[in-house]
Amino acid sequence: MLLKQKYCTLPPFFDYFHFLKSQSSLSSLSRFANLSMADVENLNSVPASEDTEYGFKRPEMYSTNIANSITSYARHVFVLYKTPEAWLSHVEEEGLPQRFATLLKDRKSDLLVQTKLNVCEGGGSDGDVLIFPDMIRYKGVKDTDVEGFFEDVLVNGKPWSSGIQEEISGTFVFVCTHASRDKRCGVCGPVILERFKQEIGSRGLSDQITLKRCSHVGQHKYAGNLIIFCPDSAGKITGNWYGYVTPDDVPELLDQHIAKGEIIQRIWRGQMGLPGGEAEKVHEQKVIPNGHGVVKEESKGFTGGCCQGSNGVSCCQDETPKPEPIKKEVKKCTIWFQPLDKEELYIGAAVVGAIATIAMAFTFFKRSG
């Protein structure tokens, strides 16, 4: 227990690095951190020879507004399969991923919701399937199981009849490290991943955040690319995409987005479950302009007041203004489509009465004569 308390009070890894460097060799430090010499040297940087072409100093970095640069979809399926080093450029063209990809294409019209497929590192968990935002895991799906699994789970929205459905919790971060598909993701992704490991460890969040390498997510030019699935202030799972991410952005993603639910505009690509128009509204109204601040949650039928959401997220809103009363227009009586005042009405009545009197007198005179 004392050892654990002492470890929790240690400064971040790199501060500790400088402390140990004066007292031991670099190889001792490497053994302490359970990293290789190359990992220690490159934990937070890209070799200068690659940085300007493939790394974080590329001329294309921040050259494009990347907000809403993802297509609309409502469900994300991750198939655990081998490791990125073993993936083909198009990993969906072999084995288990290929079976899922083929069915998604052929039976797209049968799906109740738009579904996106990605592959993430498996290792000893090959064949497991993660489904977001459902937060469900199925273990050991085999090639021969895919059609039945697809029919039960993805088409009919029911638990898989041949497997056990497990609930998953916490935050999931998927970093694109698909080097065989594009070298930019292959160079940037691993560096971002290592920075996440460092920051998660220093914050004691290893049991709350699952970090995985994943296949191509689209738009290599936005590398580093990553997706974060975590609950918002209402407990609803959201999947937010980020691009142009650098190692320096990782602490903010942990402290702002994951801890507080605050979207960081400058590197935000979009959110799962939002159609194009809604995504535009989120970008214009809910996204944090400078990467700091609170995202206000929308509330339908809200008539005033304020509430405090979970994780420190406020959903205060101004009172909805009451509609102005509708003014009824009073129409005036008209003759020949022109309005008449009182005096004109009296004169008209007198003339009509006189004409009627003369007509009656003329009729009486004619009969008596």
Side-chain angles (χ1 to χ4, degrees):
M1 180 62 72
L2 291 176
L3 179 62
K4 183 177 180 180
Q5 291 176 345
K6 182 178 180 181
Y7 175 78
C8 291
T9 59
L10 288 177
F13 180 80
F14 284 101
D15 291 339
Y16 198 57
F17 169 86
H18 294 298
F19 170 75
L20 287 180
K21 189 176 180 182
S22 63
Q23 302 184 40
S24 62
S25 65
L26 187 58
S27 60
S28 297
L29 171 62
S30 178
R31 287 194 300 272
F32 168 81
N34 197 28
L35 298 172
S36 67
M37 292 285 291
D39 288 333
V40 172
E41 293 173 356
N42 298 319
L43 185 61
N44 207 21
S45 63
V46 172
S49 60
E50 296 184 329
D51 208 3
T52 55
E53 187 174 1
Y54 305 110
F56 305 110
K57 294 182 181 178
R58 307 189 313 274
E60 67 196 20
M61 289 287 286
Y62 312 112
S63 62
T64 304
N65 178 9
I66 62 176
N68 306 314
S69 60
I70 68 171
T71 56
S72 175
Y73 76 109
R75 178 171 55 195
H76 210 141
V77 175
F78 286 84
V79 177
L80 278 66
Y81 183 74
K82 299 183 178 179
T83 62
E85 293 78 16
W87 293 344
L88 299 177
S89 175
H90 292 272
V91 66
E92 298 85 2
E93 294 181 354
E94 68 169 351
L96 192 65
Q98 182 185 38
R99 294 183 177 275
F100 272 96
T102 300
L103 282 171
L104 279 173
K105 180 180 179 180
D106 294 345
R107 302 195 59 186
K108 183 178 180 180
S109 60
D110 296 332
L111 298 175
L112 298 177
V113 296
Q114 291 177 304
T115 301
K116 184 172 180 62
L117 172 69
N118 268 100
V119 176
C120 64
E121 59 182 316
S125 301
D126 281 6
D128 287 8
V129 177
L130 306 176
I131 303 177
F132 300 93
D134 307 72
M135 298 298 283
I136 293 173
R137 181 183 191 129
Y138 286 99
K139 289 186 175 182
V141 180
K142 298 180 176 62
D143 290 2
T144 54
D145 297 327
V146 175
E147 191 168 345
F149 178 93
F150 192 95
E151 185 73 26
D152 289 346
V153 179
L154 302 184
V155 174
N156 296 318
K158 299 177 180 179
W160 182 30
S161 59
S162 300
I164 299 175
Q165 175 178 301
E166 296 183 356
E167 292 185 3
I168 54 179
S169 61
T171 294
F172 284 75
V173 179
F174 295 91
V175 181
C176 180
T177 61
H178 199 167
S180 62
R181 185 71 179 271
D182 190 273
K183 192 167 182 179
R184 287 167 291 189
C185 291
V187 168
C188 296
V191 180
I192 294 171
L193 194 86
E194 291 301 330
R195 184 61 186 271
F196 261 109
K197 289 180 180 178
Q198 171 209 331
E199 296 293 335
I200 289 172
S202 67
R203 288 165 170 75
L205 299 174
S206 299
D207 61 338
Q208 301 177 38
I209 300 176
T210 300
L211 184 64
K212 284 194 172 290
R213 297 178 289 173
C214 75
S215 63
H216 171 59
V217 297
Q219 301 290 357
H220 305 293
K221 61 185 178 181
Y222 300 148
N225 284 304
L226 59 88
I227 308 172
I228 300 175
F229 293 95
C230 62
D232 62 13
S233 61
K236 178 183 177 181
I237 299 298
T238 59
N240 284 278
W241 295 48
Y242 284 98
Y244 289 149
V245 178
T246 71
D248 292 336
D249 295 320
V250 172
E252 188 175 10
L253 286 167
L254 287 167
D255 297 336
Q256 300 295 112
H257 182 100
I258 294 176
K260 300 179 181 179
E262 299 170 5
I263 295 172
I264 303 169
Q265 179 190 13
R266 67 178 183 275
I267 53 175
W268 185 70
R269 291 189 56 187
Q271 183 182 107
M272 175 185 67
L274 294 180
E278 290 299 318
E280 289 290 344
K281 292 179 182 179
V282 169
H283 175 55
E284 295 174 1
Q285 301 174 7
K286 295 178 65 180
V287 175
I288 306 306
N290 58 3
H292 300 279
V294 176
V295 178
K296 295 182 179 180
E297 298 293 329
E298 296 178 354
S299 177
K300 295 182 179 180
F302 184 74
T303 58
C306 182
C307 63
Q308 184 68 31
S310 62
N311 300 323
V313 178
S314 171
C315 57
C316 300
Q317 298 188 25
D318 295 330
E319 184 174 358
T320 303
K322 296 180 179 180
E324 295 183 1
I326 300 175
K327 296 180 180 180
K328 294 183 179 180
E329 182 181 355
V330 179
K331 295 183 180 180
K332 296 181 179 180
C333 180
T334 61
I335 297 179
W336 297 302
F337 306 102
Q338 295 295 326
L340 300 176
D341 56 23
K342 283 186 177 181
E343 185 177 356
E344 290 172 330
L345 287 173
Y346 291 151
I347 294 174
V351 171
V352 171
I355 292 173
T357 302
I358 293 172
M360 291 177 64
F362 177 76
T363 301
F364 179 79
F365 173 78
K366 189 175 180 181
R367 288 177 180 178
S368 61

